[in-house]
Amino acid sequence: MLAGPWVPPAAGKAPYLWLLSLSSFAWKYFYLRPSVRELAMLALTTIVFAPIYFSSFWLRDRRLVPVLLATFALGLVWAPFNFGACTFFIFASGMCAGIENRRYAYGTIALILCGAALIALSVDLPLSFLVPTLAIGTPVGIASVMDATLKRKQWQLLRKQEEVEHLARIAERERISRDMHDLLGHTLSLITLKAELAGRLLDRDVEASRRELNDIETHARKALAEVRSAVSGYRQTGFAHELAQARAALAAANVTLDAQVQAFTLPATAESVLSLSLREAVTNILRHADARHCEVSVTLQDGVLVCQIRDDGKKLGSLQALEQGNGLRGMQERVASLGGSCAWKWRAGSRSNCACQREGSHDSRTDRGGPVAGAWRACRTAQAGSRP
């Protein structure tokens, strides 16, 4: 206890200066000579009150009651002998700041001051005791409670801000995790296919194998650059570039790609979601579908951006394996960030439409064009000055 701290660091040095209020006991001795016994009792009272006073800064609510009673008792004992005892009642009023319920705090202040007034009237104490007790104790008690309430609210606000920052860090880590999955999953799948192709061509066509190895190096360097850009937060992948990448990746696996893309202005956020979702769909086709033909269409229907990706793969027998992975989950989270939702269906070995629909729009989850191996739809509200 002697090592401290005696008061919370947030309280600063002011609580130590408030102890100087005990000097009010000395006013009596300007016109009366004190006895040695009285001075000894006063010194003993100060020694006893100091730990009571400092403990009041650490205790709250019910645990504060013994401290309040002890301070009130010191004032009660000294009131008949020294009008400076009013200081103890003022201190007790200020200690009520530790009661977190303001109604109880103000009620306790009223009880302390009323008790001091009853003592003054019952033993006929002078106004030099009663007036300072009421005139100073009332504003000190109220101000202390208000200041403590404000500090508690500030502390709660600080905790909430820290929680928001913590959640923001978690969301940013999840975003980076999704981006890393999309970037590396797609590129590594392509590199794997090209490496297998280069291995098969090595004995038959050395020149073709060399070209595939050069493509592997190119895609590896490009993946490294994209990872660096993604970590720095500056990745800006256009849909046209992503579509060209998808065509190259599918061609390496002997999958033809037919694309029908309408020309319209696309917000950067929606284009990023569209590009990453196309990348995830193509990655799933390469890994799981065993397809030979793929179709991509991007249209604008009644202010709704619709992208459909279809393939003729028959290899995948269940969608559960994909739903448990990070790819579809990341796609769903991205589309949800634009105010939509995603759903996947499975029928006769083929995936049907996956829809993300903005709130209040018509239902667009019906199949279009028969069975499909992968499809998704993203919708968002039109922004001022442009349409999605």
Side-chain angles (χ1 to χ4, degrees), residues 316-378:
L316 185 63
S318 172
L319 191 61
Q320 184 178 6
L322 288 178
E323 290 179 338
Q324 292 177 350
N326 294 322
L328 295 185
R329 189 184 306 116
M331 183 192 302
Q332 187 173 18
E333 291 173 354
R334 288 190 185 92
V335 176
S337 67
L338 301 182
S341 60
C342 291
W344 291 271
K345 297 180 181 179
W346 180 256
R347 185 176 65 244
S350 296
R351 282 168 286 168
S352 65
N353 287 350
C354 160
C356 172
Q357 178 177 325
R358 75 168 180 264
E359 184 176 347
S361 64
H362 60 79
D363 189 3
S364 58
R365 295 186 180 183
T366 57
D367 287 336
R368 296 174 182 268
V372 293
W376 73 276
R377 179 171 300 150

Side-chain angles (χ1 to χ4, degrees), residues 89-109:
F89 297 103
I90 296 173
F91 271 119
S93 298
M95 292 175 184
C96 293
I99 302 176
E100 296 188 358
N101 188 309
R102 285 190 295 176
R103 182 181 300 178
Y104 293 159
Y106 292 138
T108 305
I109 293 173

Side-chain angles (χ1 to χ4, degrees), residues 132-381:
T133 301
L134 299 179
I136 300 177
T138 301
V140 166
I142 294 175
S144 299
V145 172
M146 294 178 63
D147 181 65
T149 302
L150 179 61
K151 288 181 178 179
R152 280 193 291 269
K153 290 182 177 180
Q154 291 176 342
W155 182 85
Q156 293 173 357
L157 179 60
L158 180 61
R159 297 287 81 78
K160 290 181 180 179
Q161 290 176 344
E162 292 177 351
E163 183 179 359
V164 170
E165 292 175 358
H166 176 66
L167 294 176
R169 287 193 294 269
I170 293 176
E172 183 64 13
R173 286 196 293 266
E174 291 177 350
R175 181 193 71 82
I176 294 176
S177 175
R178 291 194 301 267
D179 291 349
M180 291 300 101
H181 172 271
D182 293 340
L183 285 171
L184 298 180
H186 173 81
T187 305
L188 292 179
S189 297
L190 178 60
I191 290 175
T192 300
L193 290 172
K194 286 186 170 293
E196 293 175 353
L197 179 59
R200 290 195 298 268
L201 293 175
L202 186 60
D203 296 331
R204 302 197 309 264
D205 190 342
V206 176
E207 186 62 29
S209 178
R210 183 180 293 109
R211 287 196 299 270
E212 295 298 331
L213 292 175
N214 290 334
D215 286 344
I216 291 174
E217 180 183 0
T218 300
H219 284 91
R221 293 182 181 277
K222 186 178 296 183
L224 180 60
E226 289 181 342
V227 168
R228 288 172 176 170
S229 299
V231 172
S232 302
Y234 296 114
R235 185 184 61 183
Q236 298 291 338
T237 302
F239 182 75
H241 172 75
E242 196 61 47
L243 186 61
Q245 291 288 94
R247 189 185 300 277
L250 292 172
N254 295 323
V255 181
T256 59
L257 173 64
D258 293 335
Q260 297 178 357
V261 181
Q262 289 185 0
F264 54 86
T265 303
L266 190 65
T269 304
E271 185 174 9
S272 176
V273 171
L274 186 66
S275 301
L276 293 174
S277 298
L278 174 62
R279 172 172 295 197
E280 174 59 28
V282 171
T283 301
N284 288 335
I285 292 172
L286 292 173
R287 289 180 176 178
H288 308 291
D290 193 20
R292 289 295 174 264
H293 183 72
C294 178
E295 297 179 2
V296 176
S297 65
V298 180
T299 59
L300 190 63
Q301 301 176 6
D302 299 328
V304 175
L305 175 64
V306 179
C307 176
Q308 293 183 335
I309 305 171
R310 304 169 178 166
D311 67 75
D312 58 355
K314 303 296 181 182
K315 182 178 179 180
L316 185 63
S318 172
L319 191 61
Q320 184 178 6
L322 288 178
E323 290 179 338
Q324 292 177 350
N326 294 322
L328 295 185
R329 189 184 306 116
M331 183 192 302
Q332 187 173 18
E333 291 173 354
R334 288 190 185 92
V335 176
S337 67
L338 301 182
S341 60
C342 291
W344 291 271
K345 297 180 181 179
W346 180 256
R347 185 176 65 244
S350 296
R351 282 168 286 168
S352 65
N353 287 350
C354 160
C356 172
Q357 178 177 325
R358 75 168 180 264
E359 184 176 347
S361 64
H362 60 79
D363 189 3
S364 58
R365 295 186 180 183
T366 57
D367 287 336
R368 296 174 182 268
V372 293
W376 73 276
R377 179 171 300 150
C379 315
R380 63 170 299 180
T381 307

